């Protein structure tokens, strides 16, 4: 009986230890977002529904936030009448969602909005840009895409990454590395200035070139004169 009680005690302690070890881990970032958000961003839309392939309305552009069972077509919504379903749209081969739908269930502050077909939308995932255009003063904190000055992220996916604890730690580390490199560069340049000053001081202690005297000045200014020949009248011709 003592052995059985001991085994049950060990079984009861193990789950508690797991919960304590998990505290402060990556699950804390997941708890900041609704459970359907990350599955939504990983989903592939605008594919043919495998349950209603024979219908002309078989394109999957809907998603149920309560079931989280993948992309749905319009015919699949018959089984989700009382659930929260949102419609995914497409712009330039990228998935978007209307602001009027998503802001009811998610905080989208900091994410840039776009106007497409007279409706405000936000992009689901990042759209990397090769290089920002000329005169760009603000870019996405994750993928460096050009943004309006009042926004931080270009999509919902970038907001999840950019607000995570790991990303903030990396960002602070990069900032410290950059500041350290700038400090080392400034200190090295300051040392060069000091060395130049010391060199100038050493050169100032060396004897300077004496000023030219009148003799040196005459010899320096003397030029070779034009040769003068004796006049013909001075010659004595003997026969």
């Amino acid at each position: 009986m003592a052995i059985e009680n001991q085994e049950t005690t060990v079984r009861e302690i193990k789950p508690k230890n797991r919960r304590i070890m998990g505290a402060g881990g990556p699950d804390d970032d997941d708890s900041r977002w609704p459970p359907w958000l990350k599955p939504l961003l990983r989903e592939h839309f605008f594919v043919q529904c495998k349950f209603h392939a024979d219908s002309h309305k078989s394109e999957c552009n809907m998603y149920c936030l309560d079931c989280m069972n993948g992309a749905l077509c319009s015919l699949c919504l018959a089984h989700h009448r009382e659930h929260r379903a949102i419609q995914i749209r497409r712009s330039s081969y990228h998935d978007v969602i209307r602001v009027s739908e998503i802001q009811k269930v998610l905080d989208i502050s900091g994410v840039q909005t776009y106007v497409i077909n007279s409706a405000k939308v936000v992009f689901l995932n990042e759209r990397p840009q090769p290089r920002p255009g000329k005169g760009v003063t603000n870019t996405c904190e994750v993928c460096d895409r050009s943004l309006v000055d009042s926004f931080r992220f270009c999509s919902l996916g970038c907001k999840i990454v950019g607000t995570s604890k790991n990303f903030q730690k990396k960002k602070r580390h990069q900032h410290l590395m950059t500041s350290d490199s700038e400090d080392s560069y400034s200190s090295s340049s300051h040392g060069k200035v000091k060395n130049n000053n010391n060199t100038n001081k050493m050169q100032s202690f060396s004897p300077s070139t004496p000023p030219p005297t009148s003799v040196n000045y005459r010899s320096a200014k003397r030029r070779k004169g034009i040769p003068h020949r004796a006049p013909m009248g001075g010659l004595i011709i003997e026969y």
Side-chain angles (χ1 to χ4, degrees):
M1 294 296 292
I3 295 175
E4 293 180 357
N5 292 334
Q6 184 177 1
E7 290 178 355
T8 56
T9 304
V10 172
R11 292 194 191 99
E12 291 176 357
I13 292 174
K14 282 183 178 180
K16 293 181 180 179
N17 291 336
R18 289 195 188 99
R19 283 195 293 269
I20 294 173
M21 291 174 65
D27 292 338
D28 289 347
D29 285 336
D30 293 340
S31 63
R32 298 174 59 245
W33 308 105
W36 49 263
L37 181 56
K38 290 186 177 181
L40 170 66
L41 301 181
R42 289 192 297 262
E43 192 60 51
H44 296 282
F45 294 95
F46 300 96
V47 296
Q48 191 177 35
C49 180
K50 57 184 179 180
F51 300 109
H52 306 95
D54 297 334
S55 175
H56 67 282
K57 297 182 179 180
S58 61
E59 188 178 56
C60 295
N61 62 344
M62 306 294 295
Y63 190 83
C64 181
L65 304 182
D66 297 322
C67 297
M68 298 181 292
N69 56 350
L72 306 173
C73 70
S74 58
L75 299 177
C76 292
L77 291 179
H79 304 284
H80 304 267
R81 292 178 179 176
E82 297 181 359
H83 295 175
R84 297 173 299 169
I86 57 176
Q87 183 177 357
I88 306 300
R89 292 170 169 81
R90 178 154 287 192
S91 173
S92 301
Y93 303 100
H94 294 280
D95 298 334
V96 300
I97 186 172
R98 285 187 175 179
V99 174
S100 58
E101 295 184 44
I102 192 66
Q103 67 181 359
K104 297 177 182 178
V105 292
L106 183 68
D107 178 19
I108 60 172
S109 59
V111 181
Q112 178 160 336
T113 59
Y114 300 85
V115 178
I116 299 176
N117 295 331
S118 302
K120 280 188 176 183
V121 300
V122 291
F123 284 86
L124 297 188
N125 293 296
E126 68 177 39
R127 297 171 297 139
Q129 196 172 14
R131 56 182 180 180
K134 295 182 179 179
V136 175
T137 58
N138 186 35
T139 57
C140 177
E141 296 181 6
V142 177
C143 68
D144 295 330
R145 188 171 186 85
S146 303
L147 299 177
V148 181
D149 293 340
S150 58
F151 297 101
R152 297 175 55 193
F153 309 104
C154 69
S155 62
L156 300 178
C158 285
K159 181 174 181 177
I160 292 178
V161 176
T163 55
S164 63
K165 293 181 179 179
N166 291 333
F167 184 82
Q168 294 297 327
K169 288 180 181 178
K170 290 180 180 179
K171 191 174 180 181
R172 286 194 295 268
H173 179 69
Q174 292 177 355
H175 179 71
L176 291 175
M177 292 293 291
T178 304
S179 60
D180 290 342
S181 61
E182 290 178 354
D183 292 340
S184 61
Y185 175 78
S186 61
S187 60
S188 61
S189 61
H190 185 64
K192 290 180 180 179
V193 173
K194 284 185 176 180
N195 292 331
N196 292 332
N197 292 333
N198 292 331
T199 305
N200 294 332
K201 290 180 180 178
M202 292 176 64
Q203 292 177 355
S204 63
F205 284 111
S206 61
S208 59
T209 305
T213 60
S214 59
V215 178
N216 294 334
Y217 182 78
R218 291 198 198 104
S219 61
K221 293 296 182 178
R222 183 182 299 171
R223 296 182 61 185
K224 187 175 181 181
I226 301 173
H228 297 280
R229 294 182 179 180
M232 296 298 291
L235 294 177
I236 300 174
I237 300 174
E238 297 180 354
Y239 295 96

